[in-house]
Amino acid sequence: MPPRHLYVHVPFCARRCSYCDFAIAVRRTVPVDEYLSGLRSEVEVRFGGAVSGAWRLDSLYFGGGTPSLLGGEGIARAITELRTCARLDRDAEVTLEANPDDVTPDAAEMWAAAGVNRLSLGVQSFEPGVLAWMHRSHTVDRVGPAVAALRAAGLTDFSVDLIFSLPTALARDWRRDLDLALALEPTHVSLYGLTIEQRTPLARWRERGEVIEAPEERYAEEFLLAHEVMSAAGFEHYEVSNFGRPGHRARHNQAYWHGAAYAGIGPGAHEFDGGARRWNTGAYAEWLRRLRAGADPVEGSETLTSDNREAEAVYLGLRTVAGLELRDGEGAHVQPWIEAGWGTIDGDRLELTPQGWLRLDSLAARLTLLRSH
C-alpha cells in the first residue's frame, strides 16, 4: 500500500533564523515557477506509475523553510501538481506552515480554496527583542492581522508555535507569551525548547561567548508551566511538545509518532516505508540540478535493524500520551519510575507524566536496554 501521508519540503526563507539548521534556501525573490517545475519532475521520477485513484492521502503537510512564501497561487499550484499522482481523502488534513508576514486575506482565501484546512503559524514569541534575536522576519504586530485573515477565510484550525528556554539574558516573559498565544484562540499549540545545533548562527555566538544557554532547571520550569497553563485552558498535552483542543491533534505528526509510513519530496525531505528511510539532497540547487537531468534526488537511505525499530518504538511510544505497551516482567522494572512520579500504569501501558517527559531520553534508553537482554 502506498503511504497515506505525504510531506513536501519548501526550502525558501527570507533569512536564516539564528537557531535553524534545516535545509533552507535564502532568497530575496522566491523562484516559485522554478521550484514547482522541480516538484513536478520529482513527482514524475518518484511516482510516475501512480494514478490519483490508486494513491490516497490522509494527510499532506507543507513544511520548510517557509512554505507560505510560495504565496496563495504557489501553494494552490503545488496542490494541483500533487493531485496528478495522488487523491486527497474527503476529510484529509492539509497543513501549511506559515510565517505571519505571509498571511494576507488574498493568500488565505486561495489556500482555503485549494484545500488547505490547517495552518501552523510560526510566532515563536510575542516580544520584539526576542524576535530580532532569533532573526525572525516577522514583527509582533503582524500576528493579530494574520489570525484575522485566517478566520475570515474559514481557516479556523490553526496552531501557534512558540520556543521556550531562551537564554536568561533575553529576559523573556514566558508566562506572558503563553497567555498571548491563548488569547489568539488557536486549536493547537506547539512548544519547543531551544537547542543549539552545529553550523547555526547561535552555535557561533556560543563559541564566541556571546550566548549562555538557559540552565536545565529553567527548561524544566518553563516546560511544566506550559503544561499547567495549557491544561487549565482546556488543551490536551498529547505529545511532549504538542497541545491540542479536543479533536484537534495534528494527524500528520501523529503518523510519525506512531511509526506509520510516509512519503517525502522536496530538498532535504525524508520518508519512511516502515522498514527503511531515505532522504533527498538538502541543497536546493543540487536537488534542482538532479531533477533537470532526470535523476532521483535521493541522497541516502538506511534500512532499520530490529534493534533500531525496537528503540524507536520505545522512544516514540513514551513521547505520546498513549504511552507504551509493556511486556511481561517489565512492570517491576518501571515501578521506581511510577513511585517517583515519572509515569503511570494504565492496564498494560506505561504513560509518562510531564515530569517523566523531562527525562524521556534517559527513560527510553533504559527501557530499550532492558529489552535488548
Side-chain angles (χ1 to χ4, degrees):
M1 291 290 292
R4 299 273 287 139
H5 312 279
L6 174 62
Y7 173 81
V8 181
H9 190 76
V10 183
F12 308 112
C13 286
R15 64 189 303 189
R16 181 178 288 276
C17 294
S18 59
Y19 51 82
C20 175
D21 71 337
F22 295 158
I24 70 166
V26 176
R27 296 289 188 274
R28 185 181 300 274
T29 301
V30 177
V32 177
D33 291 340
E34 181 183 78
Y35 169 76
L36 292 177
S37 175
L39 205 64
R40 183 183 309 113
S41 296
E42 184 167 6
V43 166
E44 293 172 354
V45 167
R46 299 279 307 287
F47 312 113
V51 293
S52 60
W55 184 17
R56 296 175 55 188
L57 292 175
D58 180 55
S59 72
L60 171 61
Y61 193 104
F62 290 93
T66 313
S68 55
L69 280 175
L70 292 181
E73 183 181 357
I75 290 296
R77 289 169 58 192
I79 292 175
T80 297
E81 291 293 343
L82 296 173
R83 288 183 186 275
T84 64
C85 66
R87 179 161 63 97
L88 290 169
D89 285 351
R90 185 182 302 273
D91 65 341
E93 177 190 85
V94 182
T95 302
L96 173 69
E97 290 183 356
N99 188 59
D101 273 351
D102 304 325
V103 184
T104 64
D106 287 346
E109 288 178 5
M110 293 189 73
W111 293 334
V116 174
N117 52 27
R118 184 175 182 273
L119 268 288
S120 179
L121 202 59
V123 176
Q124 313 310 351
S125 177
F126 292 90
E127 298 191 10
V130 170
L131 293 180
W133 180 84
M134 290 180 175
H135 290 176
R136 297 294 297 177
S137 61
H138 76 277
T139 55
V140 175
D141 60 4
R142 281 297 310 149
V143 176
V147 170
L150 292 179
R151 293 193 186 284
L155 294 171
T156 57
D157 189 3
F158 67 93
S159 180
V160 170
D161 286 2
L162 296 177
I163 296 179
F164 68 96
S165 191
L166 301 181
T168 304
L170 290 174
R172 190 266 199 93
D173 187 338
W174 177 231
R175 175 60 188 259
R176 177 177 177 272
D177 269 2
L178 290 172
D179 290 340
L180 289 173
L182 289 173
L184 297 174
E185 299 184 345
T187 55
H188 190 279
V189 176
S190 294
L191 308 177
Y192 303 102
L194 181 69
T195 57
I196 299 182
E197 306 292 349
Q198 296 302 313
R199 298 182 299 278
T200 63
L202 190 53
R204 293 192 290 273
W205 298 346
R206 181 178 61 181
E207 290 168 3
R208 296 197 297 262
E210 298 172 2
V211 167
I212 299 176
E213 296 174 75
E216 291 185 6
E217 296 80 5
R218 175 103 170 277
Y219 183 104
E221 290 172 0
E222 293 192 352
F223 178 80
L224 294 175
L225 176 61
H227 172 79
E228 176 187 337
V229 171
M230 301 303 297
S231 297
F235 284 76
E236 299 170 335
H237 194 174
Y238 70 99
E239 192 270 346
V240 173
S241 301
N242 289 275
F243 302 77
R245 293 198 180 279
H248 291 280
R249 298 182 181 185
R251 196 187 311 170
H252 184 87
N253 290 344
Q254 285 189 103
Y256 299 153
W257 306 323
H258 294 159
Y262 57 90
I265 59 176
H270 286 59
E271 71 176 23
F272 178 59
D273 66 6
R277 284 198 180 82
R278 55 161 274 161
W279 53 92
N280 282 347
T281 180
Y284 171 67
E286 177 62 13
W287 173 80
L288 195 63
R289 185 194 68 77
R290 293 188 189 184
L291 289 168
R292 284 174 170 171
D296 191 324
V298 63
E299 182 72 13
S301 62
E302 173 191 25
T303 299
L304 300 185
T305 65
S306 58
D307 287 343
N308 292 150
R309 290 196 295 270
E310 185 65 61
E312 289 199 359
V314 170
Y315 181 77
L316 293 173
L318 291 180
R319 69 179 292 130
T320 70
V321 73
L324 177 73
E325 183 175 352
L326 294 175
R327 296 176 179 174
D328 291 343
E330 290 180 342
H333 289 277
V334 302
Q335 188 58 36
W337 306 355
I338 309 305
E339 295 172 358
W342 300 342
T344 61
I345 299 292
D346 183 5
D348 60 355
R349 302 193 74 81
L350 169 64
E351 301 167 6
L352 296 188
T353 63
Q355 288 282 1
W357 275 335
L358 287 169
R359 299 163 174 82
L360 174 62
D361 290 348
S362 175
L363 298 183
R366 286 162 64 183
L367 192 52
T368 299
L369 182 63
L370 175 65
R371 292 189 171 191
S372 67
H373 288 78

